[in-house]
């Protein structure tokens, strides 16, 4: 299109700019947002713990002695709230822990599982504490 007067030319340039911005927006992927409550796949017999440790130690933040709240019953998709780095554990060894809510041998429990036992991991935010 050949724009001859300034008003027509400006309208044409404005529509061209909008079209370019639309195409650019489609071509550039949007950054994923971490969402607490997305699901991760947790393996059978995974221990759900009070905090990110496998030893009987004092958990940080005044949670008391670390213990097992229950063991995951069957492989399952579980709500995953956040992640935090703690003690190294699992095979392969990792210090990443996820806070999940799972059906365990002691009923539905919310606690911490080693990322080594979570082969499909949700993209969730970082936890500011072990609570």
């Amino acid at each position: 299109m050949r724009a001859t007067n300034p008003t027509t030319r400006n309208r044409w340039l404005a529509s061209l700019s909008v079209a370019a911005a639309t195409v650019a927006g489609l071509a550039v992927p949007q950054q994923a947002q971490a969402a607490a409550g997305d699901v991760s796949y947790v393996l059978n017999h995974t221990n759900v713990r009070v905090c990110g440790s496998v030893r009987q130690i004092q958990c940080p933040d005044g949670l008391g002695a670390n213990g097992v709240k229950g063991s995951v019953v069957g492989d399952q998709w579980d709500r995953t709230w956040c992640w935090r780095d703690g003690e190294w554990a699992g095979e392969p060894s990792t210090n990443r822990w996820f806070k999940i809510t799972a059906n365990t041998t002691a009923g539905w429990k919310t606690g911490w599982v080693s990322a080594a036992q979570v082969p499909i991991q949700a993209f969730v935010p970082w936890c500011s504490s072990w609570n």
Side-chain angles (χ1 to χ4, degrees):
M1 172 180 185
R2 183 167 187 224
T4 55
N5 71 42
T7 303
T8 304
R9 189 177 104 235
N10 289 344
R11 285 184 188 149
W12 182 75
L13 288 174
S15 65
L16 183 61
S17 296
V18 169
T22 301
V23 170
L26 294 175
V28 177
Q30 299 298 313
Q31 183 175 0
Q33 296 296 312
D38 284 354
V39 294
S40 294
Y41 192 69
V42 183
L43 299 178
N44 187 31
H45 301 299
T46 298
N47 287 327
V48 178
R49 298 179 174 274
V50 174
C51 70
S53 173
V54 295
R55 294 181 286 165
Q56 291 295 325
I57 62 170
Q58 285 297 110
C59 293
D61 301 331
L63 293 176
N66 182 30
V68 175
K69 293 182 170 190
S71 182
V72 171
V73 178
D75 295 351
Q76 56 185 275
W77 290 96
D78 293 315
R79 292 228 181 247
T80 308
W81 305 108
C82 53
W83 65 270
R84 192 170 170 102
D85 289 337
E87 181 181 46
W88 286 84
E91 190 60 43
S93 187
T94 179
N95 69 331
R96 180 70 35 96
W97 293 79
F98 289 105
K99 184 176 187 178
I100 65 162
T101 299
N103 184 18
T104 73
T105 52
W108 285 93
K109 299 292 180 185
T110 298
W112 296 88
V113 296
S114 170
Q117 299 301 309
V118 186
I120 302 173
Q121 301 172 352
F123 184 64
V124 293
W126 177 75
C127 298
S128 60
S129 76
W130 292 106
N131 293 323

